[in-house]
Amino acid sequence: MFNFANIDWDSLFIKGGMIVLQIIGVLIAYWLIRRIIRKILDRTFQNVMKRQDISEGRALTLHRLTENICSYALIFVLILTVFSILNIPIASLLAGAGIVGLAVGFGAQGLVSDVVTGFFLLLEKQIDVNDYVTVGNYDGIVEAVGLRTTQIRSFDGTLHYIPNREITSLSNHSRGNMRALVDIGISYADDIDKAVDVMQRACERVAEVTPTIVEGPNVLGVQAFGTSDVILRVIAKTVNGEQWTVERLLRKAIKEAFDENGIEIPFPHQVFIQRNADTQQKSLG
């Protein structure tokens, strides 16, 4: 029968206290080293952005990826250090982990696919932080690109975590200049040539005060015939990400110009037909 009286409680408490203090010291060191590494990375990538020919989005992408890799490495070292303090044999632990990893590896093919796809996304520069992209059913601004997942924030504020293996098709809307496109309808009774001239002059006024317009705007002419209107199209090239703002400015300027020149923008009308009581009685009789 085990006798608790033979236990040297003083030495046991001292030894346990030393282990606890060592673990606390290791955790403090981990926290300090992590903060130091983050500051070093922040300063390094700021200098890279100033000296090298690299975009801000690309620098942010590599910055966050490097932070993740360093964090994983620090956590691995922390775990090994804690095991060493607890006198857990690391060699046998690693050997056992290798066997378990081999067994689990057959069921972790998705994780491997995520890492491989993420590697090629970064290597081929298909996507960077702050890019406006469409991935499957999701579109929004890229917030982070990792080896396992890509984070995309939609315009309604939702943050999507997309496994890299699911990125089978990717549309990047942040490569080069974008196109602003505006379709405006006029009534069939209006003079098309006059409307085109009024629109072009309005577009030129917008271009004079909008530096984000790279080319145009130009009125192309008649785009289509609607049920109650003739549709005229305007296009312009803009700085990336500014196409929506330019489209709003063009619509406002064209509407104001049409009002000044008496050009009508058709809108749906409803016609009500009311029969008098005598006509209704005759139809019933």
Side-chain angles (χ1 to χ4, degrees), residues 55 57-58 61 121 124-133 170-178 240-241:
S55 64
R58 186 65 180 171
T61 302
L121 285 174
E124 298 175 358
K125 300 181 180 180
Q126 298 180 21
I127 188 173
D128 287 327
V129 173
N130 293 332
D131 281 355
Y132 167 43
V133 300
L170 170 66
S171 300
N172 195 323
H173 309 288
S174 298
R175 293 290 188 266
N177 295 325
M178 299 299 290
N240 195 284

Side-chain angles (χ1 to χ4, degrees), residues 6 53 58 151 235 240 258:
N6 296 328
D53 186 15
R58 186 65 180 171
Q151 300 178 25
I235 63 169
N240 195 284
F258 279 2

